[in-house]
Amino acid sequence: MKDAREPPRHDWTLPEVEALFALPFMDLMFRAQRVHRAWHDPNAVQLATLLSIKTGACPEDCAYCPQSVRYETGLKREALLEVAAVRDAAGRARAAGATRFCMGAAWRAPKERDLEVVAAMIGEVRALGLESCATLGMLTPAQAARLREAGLDYYNHNLDTSAEFYGEIITTRTYQDRLDTLAAVRAAGISVCCGGIVGMGESVGDRARLLQTLANLPQHPESVPINRLVKVPGTPLEGVPDVDPFDFVRAIAVARVTMPRAQVRLSAGREAMSDELQALCLLAGANSIFYGERLLTTGNPDVERDRQLLARLKVSAARAPAAAAAGASAPAPACAGHDASRARAS
Ligand code: SAM
Ligand code: DTB
Ligand code: SF4
């Protein structure tokens, strides 16, 4: 099957990506499985744990987000956490079997003094043998370089949707701002985690344009989170109609086909999904999930439910890459088994 590998492409046309979305479901799933099996262990899933290190009161107006100061969502604000609290949370995530620890802050962009605190947090996460990831809003090239110096492995910054639909969702910063931050992260030598949200009222064409944009970046993101909108009361998108679950699975499959080496993450929205729908997402090529009872401010399946789901599917937790274990030796994940293929994206 490895012979079925074709070099990752960066010249996807919109009609090509739209044609993938238009395939009969079974044909798309077959194509995604072929690509997935050529590049990855089909029976291993990466476990990443999220922590909100600064919660709420964000000045941006992202219409999906419970943390924007503009919407009444009843969220309790929290200042930047202490480094020790982050170290403890990362230790618990590691003990539960996570290999990546992602820290999220409700900022438009980090202030310099806050960046130094985050740098210390990154050091603690890496000392535990976990891969470190942060999502802190927009970064300048100098800030990205500082985070890299602190040992940051991944930076998450989502394009969220197509350039065309973006203005319906966010007005306080532009698509180009986001692309600039992604370029700064890449230039600093940090791996890129970038994806989007399905279910905000966008068209299939918007989903195709988002994935086309991601796949045509000079280098594919190493991680591609595909979130299903979590409809939070008080946000402008609270009443948007549900996306057809099969259309969500299609988005995962098209991400897999267009970005073969990336870790495609079945991200927000799992709490409201059946086990069967999640299994379809894994079949479509997702090979990473957020693991732990909370995402940033909303719920996620509890660890026990996920352990049972993975056990029933005989899917194992991917082990931490050797590079992340430089600081300390990580314990065997709770449901370890196979070693996942860890090809870098290109
Ligand atoms: N403030 C930073 C930023 O926006 O870049 C980092 C945190 S922000 C919460 C990270 C990502 O979470 C967003 O880009 C969006 O894709 C996702 N997200 C936020 N709220 C969501 C929701 N209600 N449902 C699904 N995804 C959501
Ligand atoms: C991503 O794409 N999804 C995560 C992570 N990157 C930071 C965040 C999901 C947030 C869901 C809403 C919440 O919990 O606040
Ligand atoms: Fe702020 Fe990020 Fe939420 Fe947008 S997604 S409102 S930038 S926390």
Side-chain angles (χ1 to χ4, degrees):
M1 205 53 168
K2 301 283 179 204
D3 294 343
R5 283 187 188 194
E6 284 168 28
R9 290 177 46 198
H10 300 264
D11 59 352
W12 289 92
T13 66
L14 185 58
E16 279 179 318
V17 182
E18 286 179 326
L20 290 173
F21 272 98
L23 280 174
F25 188 78
M26 305 309 161
D27 291 348
L28 177 57
M29 292 294 278
F30 182 68
R31 180 127 180 225
Q33 264 289 307
R34 276 183 64 106
V35 173
H36 191 53
R37 285 171 179 266
W39 291 98
H40 303 274
D41 178 344
N43 299 303
V45 162
Q46 177 202 45
L47 304 180
T49 293
L50 270 173
L51 177 70
S52 181
I53 58 170
K54 185 269 169 183
T55 306
C58 182
E60 303 294 278
D61 69 352
C62 312
Y64 49 75
C65 187
Q67 304 204 65
S68 168
V69 74
R70 298 160 197 245
Y71 317 132
E72 277 303 323
T73 61
L75 186 69
K76 192 164 157 277
R77 300 174 177 191
E78 273 181 56
L80 186 58
L81 295 180
E82 303 279 342
V83 175
V86 174
R87 185 187 56 224
D88 292 349
R92 287 192 296 274
R94 185 178 93 137
T99 59
R100 187 179 295 180
F101 192 73
C102 311
M103 296 165 276
W107 290 323
R108 171 179 165 80
K111 296 193 177 74
E112 298 309 316
R113 65 167 188 275
D114 291 333
L115 206 65
E116 290 310 310
V117 181
V118 175
M121 293 172 178
I122 292 165
E124 296 290 350
V125 169
R126 297 200 88 240
L128 284 164
L130 291 163
E131 288 183 303
S132 58
C133 177
T135 179
L136 316 170
M138 293 187 284
L139 295 183
T140 63
Q143 288 178 320
R146 175 70 190 100
L147 289 171
R148 181 64 199 140
E149 183 188 275
L152 187 67
D153 298 300
Y154 287 80
Y155 195 77
N156 166 248
H157 198 64
N158 291 339
L159 289 176
D160 280 343
T161 189
S162 68
E164 290 76 7
F165 191 65
Y166 183 89
E168 305 285 315
I169 302 296
I170 300 155
T171 68
T172 48
R173 59 185 171 185
T174 65
Y175 213 69
Q176 190 58 48
D177 288 333
R178 296 219 172 191
L179 291 166
D180 291 348
T181 290
L182 293 173
V185 168
R186 186 57 88 194
I190 299 170
S191 295
V192 170
C193 171
C194 183
I197 306 180
V198 174
M200 300 191 294
E202 75 286 345
S203 66
V204 176
D206 289 312
R207 288 173 208 150
R209 280 187 285 271
L210 166 67
L211 295 178
Q212 183 201 12
T213 306
L214 291 172
N216 288 350
L217 288 171
Q219 238 181 301
H220 291 169
E222 281 76 7
S223 292
V224 179
I226 305 292
N227 297 276
R228 189 170 80 169
L229 178 69
V230 179
K231 292 186 242 179
V232 180
T235 61
L237 297 185
E238 66 171 310
V240 86
D242 280 342
V243 60
D244 179 334
F246 295 125
D247 286 343
F248 181 78
V249 178
R250 280 187 169 91
I252 297 219
V254 176
R256 168 52 65 224
V257 171
T258 52
M259 290 170 277
R261 299 175 74 174
Q263 303 245 215
V264 175
R265 184 171 306 117
L266 169 57
S267 303
R270 282 200 306 118
E271 197 182 29
M273 290 181 198
S274 67
D275 289 348
E276 295 85 343
L277 176 56
Q278 293 184 58
L280 266 187
C281 292
L282 301 185
L283 202 61
N287 59 351
S288 175
I289 57 172
F290 283 126
Y291 178 66
E293 279 78 12
R294 288 203 86 63
L295 292 165
L296 291 174
T297 68
T298 64
N300 197 42
D302 61 39
V303 161
E304 198 41 46
R305 179 179 164 197
D306 278 344
R307 283 188 182 157
Q308 283 180 17
L309 176 60
L310 297 185
R312 285 163 67 207
L313 298 174
K314 291 194 165 48
V315 166
S316 62
R319 293 206 193 95
S329 57
C335 33
H338 318 253
D339 197 8
S341 152
R342 242 173 298 283
R344 307 291 278 178
S346 74

